[in-house]
Amino acid sequence: MLANVKRISNYWRISKKMPKSTFLKLPDERKDKLRKIIYNMFIKKDYESISIRNLVKEMDISIGSFYKYFDDKAEMYLFFFSEIEKKIFEEEKKRNASFFYPTEPFDPHEILTQEEIDFNTSWIKVPEDVLYKFYFKGHAKQLYRSILDELTGMQQKAQLNPNITANIAYHIIITSMFGFMLYIKENNITDVEDFFNRKKIYYQKVILPAIFSDKYYKQNYSKNAIKSEIIL
């Protein structure tokens, strides 16, 4: 039993996914300038067409300096992507007592710049290895840990599927969203509105019924009460 508890504890340990201290110690003005350069590059070009050499040229730094700031291109991209996702997630938490409870959508322009919105939509074109890093190498856990806390509370209230635990429910969400993103890539879905419509339906019709008890799902997620915007 103790060994199982230890394995679960290790699994949910949140690794610190962020740039190296060299980048974090830069003046805010310099960090903001580099952030905008990176945004614009990924807005204008697909992830896979941007090389480290392209990045350092636009950032006006050496390759050596780049690796003093970031481990690689993927970690750099995921840091800036996660910054924006955190803003969205924190706003969701402010507006709603529950991440899962039905709510009215909010306009992302209320909290994000147009550059942030445009950069965030580049997510639908990133390669599989970057998706994998986000969902399974610490970024998602660090960003969405409070979702697991809420699921734990729901398990105690018998609101989850009685055949699963909060940990399994969270794992279903993460692995399902990874699978959904693979579906998006395999079917070459690049239209942003189409992407979000498919994501909403998948979340409502596949993920939520799998993790909630029948009673809780029917009470809170009727046809007219389902949450219309999600993150992840």
Side-chain angles (χ1 to χ4, degrees), residues 77-93:
Y77 177 89
L78 289 173
F79 169 72
F80 292 111
F81 173 75
S82 295
E83 272 191 330
I84 298 170
E85 285 292 291
K86 183 177 181 182
K87 286 185 181 182
I88 298 170
F89 188 61
E90 291 299 323
E91 187 65 20
E92 285 274 6
K93 288 202 295 185

Side-chain angles (χ1 to χ4, degrees), residues 7 47 75 113 117 140 148 193:
R7 277 198 294 272
Y47 180 96
E75 289 296 339
T113 66
I117 291 170
L148 175 61
E193 185 176 353

